[in-house]
Amino acid sequence: MAGRYGEWCGAASATLIGVMRGARDTAREITQFLGAAGERVQS
């Protein structure tokens, strides 16, 4: 049942890296959107 370390964490690590990239991109898009919305309000 218990395998080597890399056998169970490899896919999970890859999944976490993928999720973090997506979250970082989404946060960047939200920041840009809110910045643009703030510029429209101030104008």
Side-chain angles (χ1 to χ4, degrees):
M1 190 175 297
R4 293 186 312 238
Y5 179 76
E7 290 178 0
W8 64 268
C9 78
S13 295
T15 300
L16 290 174
I17 290 169
V19 168
M20 291 302 296
R21 286 181 186 156
R24 185 172 44 234
D25 292 344
T26 301
R28 186 178 303 121
E29 290 175 11
I30 291 170
T31 301
Q32 290 172 347
F33 175 79
L34 292 176
E39 289 172 6
R40 284 194 298 266
V41 170
Q42 293 173 1
S43 300

